[in-house]
Each structure stands twice: as C-alpha cells, then as structure tokens.
Amino acid sequence: MKHLVLKTQAKQEMIDITERLQRALRELGANNGVAVLFVPHTTAAITINENADPAVKEDILTALGKLVPAGAYYKHAEGNAHAHIKASLIGHSVTIPIQEGKLQLGTWQGVLFCEFDGPRTRELWLTVCAP
Ligand code: ZN
C-alpha cells in the first residue's frame, strides 16, 4: 500500500489527482489488476467524473451545497456536519482497472479528490490488487 499526502487549499474543492495516481502506480510497478483508492477521513471523499471542463467540478460542489447547506441546523457540534454528510454522499473509495501500467479510465474521466472541510493535509491510500 502507498500513502499519498495531499495538501488541500480551499474550504471545499475537487482536485484532479489522475496524473499523480498514474505516477504512483509506476513507482509501485503495478502492471495489471485493479487499483483501490481509499480516503481515511470523515470530511473528504473521492469520486470519478469529468476532468476536461472545470465547470463540472464547480457544478457538483454547488449542487452539494444546495443539498446539504453549510448554514443549516445540525446536531453535530463541531460545525462541519455538512462536510461529513457530503463525504458520505460521495463516498470514500473507488476501484479502477489497471492494464499495462495504466489506469483504465473513460475518455473524459478523471479521479477527483473531494475536500469538504479544508484546507487540510489529507491522505489517500492506494492499494493494487494483481491477478
Ligand atoms: Zn465533525
């Protein structure tokens, strides 16, 4: 397993980590199999979506903000309940096939790390399962 460290810059953001993951796979010498990416945090998440038009990431964050407004009433006293809820809606892991050392993603797909309570130093755990 490889632990990647990410320093997020904003309160909420979606960061394209596709190239970084590809480099990490090369360092691991992964050839064929599946990559499992796991976010070990309760207010961050990971997903796969379009990385060509940055407006898609903005639209996702805007839609999540409407679904789970930061200013609404929540019982969680820490003040970041909206970030916990968004992290659970998006999810904490993705699985991606690897072939000949390359992540097998669709043409428009990228791997997006989602920060919902930043800026913070975050980790992403990468495990490769080979056949
Ligand atoms: Zn909290």
Side-chain angles (χ1 to χ4, degrees):
M1 182 157 67
K2 193 169 182 73
H3 290 203
L4 304 175
V5 176
L6 294 103
K7 288 186 190 297
T8 62
Q9 306 294 321
K11 188 80 179 165
Q12 298 191 63
E13 62 182 322
M14 296 176 80
I15 304 166
D16 183 355
I17 56 168
T18 312
E19 287 307 312
R20 182 148 179 213
L21 287 174
Q22 193 59 68
R23 280 200 307 274
L25 283 177
R26 274 196 294 273
E27 288 164 18
L28 284 172
N31 200 25
N32 293 299
V34 291
V36 178
L37 300 157
F38 181 79
V39 174
H41 301 289
T42 60
T43 55
I46 191 164
T47 191
I48 295 171
N49 214 301
E50 177 169 335
N51 66 353
D53 180 1
V56 172
K57 292 185 279 187
E58 287 179 40
D59 287 343
I60 292 171
L61 289 175
T62 300
L64 286 171
K66 288 178 186 166
L67 282 172
V68 191
Y73 171 75
Y74 303 100
K75 288 185 176 178
H76 180 51
E78 198 184 5
N80 63 353
H82 65 97
H84 290 289
I85 295 165
K86 289 169 186 169
S88 277
L89 287 173
I90 297 295
H92 292 90
S93 69
V94 294
T95 304
I96 306 168
I98 307 165
Q99 193 168 32
E100 295 175 359
K102 290 192 175 164
L103 291 168
Q104 298 299 295
L105 293 163
T107 304
W108 303 106
Q109 287 184 321
V111 185
L112 305 171
F113 183 90
C114 307
E115 174 63 80
F116 295 120
D117 194 25
R120 293 181 190 233
T121 299
R122 299 293 199 175
E123 280 195 14
L124 177 63
W125 297 348
L126 166 61
T127 305
V128 174
C129 303

